[in-house]
Amino acid sequence: MAENLVIVESPTKAKTIEKFLGKEYLVKSSFGHVRDLPKKGLGVDVKHDFTPTYEVAEDKKKIVEELKKLAGKAKRVWLASDEDREGEAIAWHLSQVLNLDVNTTHRIVFHEITKNAITKAVANPRIVNINLVNAQQARRILDRLVGFELSPVLWRKVKPSLSAGRVQSVAVRLIVQREREIINFKGGDFYRTTAIFTVKNQEGNNFRFKAELNHRFKSLEETKTFLNTCIGAQYHVASIEKKPAHRSPSAPFTTSTLQQEAGRKLGFSVSQTMSIAQRLYEAGLITYMRTDSVNLSDDAMSAIKSVITDLFGSKSYHKRIYKTKSKGAQEAHEAIRPSYIERQHIEGSPQEKKLYHLIWNRTVASQMSDALLERTVIDIAVSSCDKKFIAKGEVIVDEGFLKLYGESSTALDEETDKGDNNLLLPPVTVGTELYNERIETTQRFDQRPPRFSEATLVKHLEELGIGRPSTYAPTISTIINRGYVVKEDRDGVERKYLQLTLQNGQITEKELTEITGTEKAKLFSTNIGILVNDYLESHFPAILDYNFTAKVEEEFDDIAKGELAWDEMIRRFYQPFHQSVTTAEKEEGSFASSQQRSLGTDPVSGKQVYARIGRFGPMVQIGESGDENNKPKYASLRAGQLIETITLDEALKLFALPRLLGEYEGKTVTIGVGRFGPYIRHDGKFVSLPQTENPYTIQLDKAIELIEEKRKKDREKVLKLFPEDEKLQLLNGRWGAYISYDGVNYKLPKNSDINLLSYDEIMKLVEQQKAEGETSVKKRTNKRMVKTKK
């Protein structure tokens, strides 16, 4: 038996650390937290200083028992959970359940899982930092109090089965506010004017370049007037300005900047980034991924200098010390960097390689020289008016850090004419005459505020001082899982715009079309998210106040520094909060029912049309709810439709389904819409309608085509039938052939030849899997598919 027991959170981390320690050390994993507040009940004694009651999770009892036995036999126990508040709390909880003396048990921490870091940590143990534990405990208790007391209020006043959280509710508020800014946006249009000029270069060839007018016209009439003045005008270089410029590299990654950059450059979600980073850390490839520090250790700085010198030469190295700006940052920690700077490439999944490469490049580039540029601005005078065209160019004199960490995308914004874009400008002097090839004026439109992506939401939360590195990923996951926010792509809409061109003394005008408003992986507030936000804003303004939420985070930091008692902090928060809950509970009526929106009058029935939240979600209603003689008609809103913006025409269209298209094979064909979207119904069977088809306009011939396509797929699915028993089939699924018997699915052995398998052999496989409980059970009913397990 090893003399030393080392306990970490994850088995991967345990395996990595075990490689660096000798035989005297046994490394075991606690598999995360071993105990927490109970799932049922409050678990906090409000009347006695908010004392929490913790219990060991059911799935952790065996792990705790094993660790107890090992701890009892070991001479020393080392608690080696992560170096943050969460990790400190895990170490403290372990000391409690394993009956270890918290004042003498060795606590070791490290920024990276390397031999040097582990050896150093073992040589310098400390005890559990109870201030950090209390900071985590305060956050956990505060969030439990908010969720436990606020959620029942939402059930009664808004809709059953809702829940609320402190940081999550603020995140939803940001998204709802942005949605309303977009709804209320009143954009205008303007006309942007560019010109193509040519001039002879030193070799006698024409040099073609682009310039933009220093004025944007507000109307078509102004635009035409200007173009008319340009007919026959002369153009010359009025002034030239050249300025040296430089661009500096960004600081090494913190948690939030890694999440933002991985989202922008790699398309990773916040939770995906953290999951991949966790794997890289536990494999000993990067330093700890939850940090708000931009510091680099002296050893790391020295290694980076060597790498830069070897790859790019000593002139490319420039030592930089970065200062962390975020509130509550711990300067003693390090930024996220490779554990071994000299390791440029790693083994792993494609995603792990991409994220590691991003971290490596950012880390090394942070210590490289500036990129040196030369920026040139040429003013071009127009003989017929006082306006001028301006050409801007930029030349990279020395790439510096851009050799390693430049922009991966060369995409231009929507207003840039890619064909004419050129950063190089001609070698001209003041007074040089220029030939105007053409002038083009294009109608452009003011841009509405952008919706948040996961990355931009994280950036905004950080700027407001809300949340900390470890909270961003679970916050975003929670608001999506609760249905308050959806993350999705949405198609843009077609928009017409005008373009006027002056060429060869002639002005031409044409109408063009473009797609605008396309959204990719953006966060959209849902109807229920908006309703919950409005209720919380009106009844619990402190919970949604940005400054208040940021102040709570600062108080957690004060607890971590030992400057504030955790129970006092909770008491100051809880008393006014609990009073607000009590007041809200006494109010009569439902908030949701009072928020219905009148859309107008149904032209057919003459009844009022409303949009509101109903028992099964957002819907529109024709008629009054209390009218027993003429009960109202209801229709669910479609995905993406909001109660705040749906129009009367859009609402009435929802009542157009189900639509009768006609008959096929003597049976009616109808189009309906259900929980999973629009569908075709024929002969008691359903065919999902593709997204490319509009349920309101699809015709009978197309519906028949889709019905036959579905039948063909169903026929191809059946590989073999058995006359001995009609309940037995061999079917073709997504992952190959499988057995279906009496509505239950069973596996076939790999590389099975279905033509050689007899009825008896297949039934033997069914019985074996039944006995072993290895069935993949999918029992079909007429209404839905129900998954069960043995």
Side-chain angles (χ1 to χ4, degrees):
M1 177 64 196
E3 292 185 359
N4 298 276
L5 173 65
V6 181
I7 305 176
V8 298
E9 301 106 311
S10 80
T12 306
K13 189 176 174 183
K15 286 178 186 176
T16 309
I17 291 174
E18 208 161 36
K19 291 186 295 186
F20 303 127
L21 296 172
K23 293 179 180 177
E24 309 87 46
Y25 292 86
L26 174 65
V27 186
K28 285 290 180 178
S29 168
S30 69
F31 292 85
H33 275 282
V34 292
R35 67 175 192 170
D36 195 4
L37 296 173
K39 289 186 177 180
K40 293 182 179 179
L42 177 59
V44 178
D45 191 342
V46 174
K47 294 180 180 178
H48 295 90
D49 298 325
F50 304 96
T51 304
T53 299
Y54 294 109
E55 61 180 32
V56 176
E58 194 62 39
D59 60 340
K60 294 296 176 69
K61 286 183 178 177
K62 284 185 179 179
I63 295 167
V64 169
E65 284 305 312
E66 182 192 1
L67 292 175
K68 269 185 183 178
K69 288 177 185 176
L70 294 172
K73 295 175 183 176
K75 287 187 178 179
R76 281 176 298 277
V77 178
W78 306 74
L79 302 176
S81 47
D82 290 338
E83 189 188 15
D84 57 12
R85 294 174 196 171
E86 202 75 23
E88 207 69 21
I90 289 173
W92 179 76
H93 282 292
L94 281 167
S95 71
Q96 301 301 297
V97 298
L98 301 182
N99 301 317
L100 304 173
D101 185 346
V102 75
N103 295 311
T104 58
T105 301
H106 293 322
R107 167 84 171 109
I108 55 172
V109 293
F110 32 84
H111 303 303
E112 59 188 357
I113 305 177
T114 60
K115 185 175 180 60
N116 185 45
I118 302 300
T119 304
K120 222 180 249 188
V122 170
N124 299 279
R126 59 172 174 83
I127 61 171
V128 170
N129 185 329
I130 202 66
N131 291 328
L132 294 180
V133 173
N134 285 339
Q136 189 276 341
Q137 204 168 215
R139 180 188 292 278
R140 184 73 186 93
I141 291 169
L142 191 70
D143 289 344
R144 170 57 68 93
L145 290 169
V146 171
F148 192 83
E149 295 207 358
L150 204 49
S151 296
V153 177
L154 291 178
W155 302 343
R156 290 191 289 271
K157 302 297 180 182
V158 182
K159 189 175 179 287
S161 303
L162 295 178
S163 57
R166 188 177 52 84
V167 177
Q168 295 94 319
S169 296
V170 175
V172 172
R173 183 189 177 196
L174 283 170
I175 295 165
V176 170
Q177 280 191 330
R178 180 59 55 86
E179 192 67 39
R180 285 187 167 140
E181 287 173 21
I182 293 168
I183 291 169
N184 297 323
F185 175 71
K186 306 293 183 189
D189 64 338
F190 58 90
Y191 289 82
R192 177 175 176 263
T193 305
T194 58
I196 302 298
F197 294 100
T198 56
V199 65
K200 297 286 185 185
N201 62 16
Q202 292 175 349
E203 289 77 30
N205 300 318
N206 283 333
F207 191 104
R208 188 168 175 267
F209 66 101
K210 185 177 182 178
E212 183 174 345
L213 193 69
N214 66 342
H215 181 81
R216 292 186 172 184
F217 301 107
K218 293 291 185 184
S219 69
L220 183 60
E221 290 71 25
E222 281 183 289
T223 305
K224 288 180 177 179
T225 300
F226 170 74
L227 290 178
N228 276 304
T229 64
C230 291
I231 296 174
Q234 303 297 312
Y235 306 87
H236 70 272
V237 175
S239 67
I240 304 171
E241 183 180 26
K242 289 189 177 182
K243 281 185 178 180
H246 68 92
R247 197 178 300 162
S248 299
S250 299
F253 282 129
T254 62
T255 302
S256 68
T257 55
L258 177 64
Q259 291 168 351
Q260 292 166 45
E261 196 76 339
R264 191 172 71 88
K265 284 193 168 183
L266 305 178
F268 291 173
S269 69
V270 169
S271 58
Q272 187 180 14
T273 299
M274 293 309 292
S275 176
I276 298 166
Q278 178 97 30
R279 295 200 296 271
L280 293 174
Y281 166 68
E282 290 178 351
L285 296 171
I286 64 170
T287 53
Y288 192 50
M289 66 286 160
R290 291 191 182 92
T291 177
D292 45 20
S293 172
V294 290
N295 283 350
L296 292 171
S297 68
D298 291 340
D299 289 345
M301 296 277 275
S302 177
I304 293 168
K305 181 179 180 181
S306 297
V307 167
I308 292 171
T309 304
D310 290 346
L311 290 177
F312 307 110
S314 59
K315 287 185 179 180
S316 292
Y317 174 73
H318 180 93
K319 184 177 179 180
R320 300 172 192 273
I321 305 295
Y322 295 94
K323 287 291 180 185
T324 303
K325 296 178 182 178
S326 63
K327 296 177 183 177
Q330 300 181 62
E331 293 293 346
H333 291 181
E334 271 200 87
I336 302 169
R337 63 164 175 82
S339 300
Y340 306 94
I341 304 296
E342 62 275 12
R343 183 181 292 172
Q344 191 169 356
H345 303 288
I346 63 163
E347 294 299 317
S349 69
Q351 291 178 328
E352 288 167 352
K353 288 179 180 178
K354 284 179 183 178
L355 193 65
Y356 182 84
H357 186 65
L358 189 72
I359 294 168
W360 191 92
N361 280 3
R362 175 82 162 226
T363 305
V364 175
S366 73
Q367 300 301 311
M368 290 180 71
S369 58
D370 287 354
L372 302 181
L373 316 167
E374 184 181 76
R375 288 177 180 152
T376 304
V377 178
I378 300 176
D379 286 358
I380 301 166
V382 185
S383 63
S384 57
C385 68
D386 60 355
K387 293 179 176 61
K388 59 185 178 181
F389 286 93
I390 300 173
K392 294 181 179 180
E394 184 178 272
V395 176
I396 296 176
V397 178
D398 185 343
E399 284 184 295
F401 77 95
L402 292 176
K403 295 171 190 170
L404 191 60
Y405 201 79
E407 288 298 319
S408 60
S409 172
T410 56
L412 303 167
D413 64 59
E414 65 174 349
E415 294 184 358
T416 302
D417 183 339
K418 192 172 181 180
D420 292 331
N421 187 59
N422 197 332
L423 290 175
L424 294 175
L425 294 177
V428 294
T429 57
V430 174
T432 299
E433 296 291 329
L434 302 173
Y435 170 71
N436 175 239
E437 187 178 301
R438 76 172 187 269
I439 299 176
E440 207 166 70
T441 296
T442 306
Q443 184 184 19
R444 294 289 79 197
F445 302 87
D446 295 330
Q447 297 293 307
R448 59 166 174 72
R451 286 187 174 89
F452 287 110
S453 63
E454 288 195 16
T456 56
L457 180 62
V458 165
K459 184 180 181 183
H460 206 50
L461 287 168
E462 186 181 38
E463 287 170 350
L464 291 170
I466 295 167
R468 287 295 180 262
S470 61
T471 64
Y472 296 131
T475 294
I476 292 172
S477 297
T478 298
I479 62 177
I480 292 173
N481 293 337
R482 286 178 177 171
Y484 297 156
V485 169
V486 291
K487 178 186 174 183
E488 60 189 24
D489 301 341
R490 289 190 186 174
D491 295 332
V493 295
E494 193 173 82
R495 176 173 68 190
K496 294 179 180 180
Y497 67 98
L498 293 174
Q499 189 175 79
L500 285 75
T501 304
L502 169 61
Q503 194 165 17
N504 300 325
Q506 297 291 320
I507 298 173
T508 57
E509 181 180 331
K510 58 183 175 181
E511 187 177 74
L512 303 171
T513 59
E514 62 185 351
I515 301 297
T516 182
T518 303
E519 307 268 13
K520 185 168 178 60
K522 292 295 178 69
L523 299 172
F524 297 83
S525 51
T526 64
N527 287 289
I528 195 64
I530 292 171
L531 190 63
V532 168
N533 175 77
D534 290 352
Y535 180 75
L536 293 177
E537 271 197 298
S538 62
H539 291 76
F540 299 90
I543 291 291
L544 266 66
D545 181 78
Y546 302 139
N547 292 328
F548 175 80
T549 309
K551 181 72 167 56
V552 169
E553 294 292 347
E554 289 174 8
E555 289 181 339
F556 289 147
D557 294 338
D558 291 340
I559 295 168
K561 290 182 282 190
E563 296 173 1
L564 178 64
W566 73 267
D567 55 335
E568 178 57 31
M569 180 263 178
I570 299 288
R571 186 175 292 105
R572 289 204 305 246
F573 172 91
Y574 181 71
Q575 287 173 347
F577 167 71
H578 182 67
Q579 184 56 51
S580 298
V581 171
T582 304
T583 304
E585 286 177 331
K586 289 177 181 176
E587 289 185 356
E588 294 183 3
S590 163
F591 181 79
S593 61
S594 68
Q595 298 301 300
Q596 70 179 15
R597 176 171 164 250
S598 177
L599 305 181
T601 306
D602 173 23
V604 177
S605 66
K607 295 179 180 179
Q608 280 294 111
V609 182
Y610 303 99
R612 66 182 183 88
I613 293 284
R615 185 181 173 189
F616 300 106
M619 65 177 193
V620 287
Q621 165 185 326
I622 298 176
E624 304 298 332
S625 297
D627 191 345
E628 288 297 323
N629 297 323
N630 294 292
K631 290 187 177 180
K633 293 198 297 183
Y634 304 99
S636 296
L637 265 60
R638 297 187 67 190
Q641 289 183 322
L642 291 178
I643 289 172
E644 287 198 22
T645 57
I646 190 170
T647 64
L648 178 63
D649 286 343
E650 289 169 341
L652 293 174
K653 277 184 181 178
L654 297 173
F655 292 94
L657 299 179
R659 280 177 63 218
L660 177 63
L661 297 187
E663 287 192 358
Y664 178 53
E665 298 175 338
K667 306 274 174 52
T668 58
V669 179
T670 57
I671 301 293
V673 64
R675 183 181 173 189
F676 303 107
Y679 58 80
I680 304 166
R681 183 171 185 174
H682 174 255
D683 194 17
K685 293 180 178 144
F686 299 87
V687 179
S688 293
L689 207 62
Q691 289 185 345
T692 51
E693 297 298 331
N694 188 329
Y696 299 102
T697 58
I698 187 172
Q699 298 301 310
L700 180 62
D701 55 349
K702 184 62 182 178
I704 292 171
E705 184 183 320
L706 293 169
I707 290 167
E708 290 300 334
E709 282 180 12
K710 178 68 165 53
R711 287 177 176 177
K712 185 183 176 190
K713 283 182 183 176
D714 289 344
R715 285 194 300 271
E716 290 171 350
K717 185 178 179 181
V718 179
L719 299 176
K720 193 172 183 180
L721 298 173
F722 296 85
E724 297 96 327
D725 190 341
E726 62 180 20
K727 292 185 290 185
L728 180 64
Q729 295 177 311
L730 290 187
L731 301 178
N732 190 22
R734 186 176 175 185
W735 290 283
Y738 64 93
I739 305 165
S740 174
Y741 182 70
D742 196 19
V744 181
N745 298 340
Y746 301 87
K747 297 174 186 175
L748 273 172
K750 284 184 180 179
N751 304 318
S752 296
D753 187 337
I754 60 171
N755 294 314
L756 298 179
L757 286 171
S758 68
Y759 171 78
D760 290 337
E761 288 171 326
I762 293 172
M763 287 308 298
K764 187 177 179 182
L765 290 170
V766 169
E767 294 306 323
Q768 281 176 350
Q769 291 177 45
K770 271 185 182 180
E772 293 167 6
E774 293 182 357
T775 57
S776 172
V777 184
K778 292 184 181 178
K779 290 198 174 180
R780 292 182 178 274
T781 68
N782 290 330
K783 292 185 179 178
R784 59 178 178 165
M785 183 178 285
V786 182
K787 291 187 179 180
T788 62
K789 274 188 179 179
K790 278 204 164 191

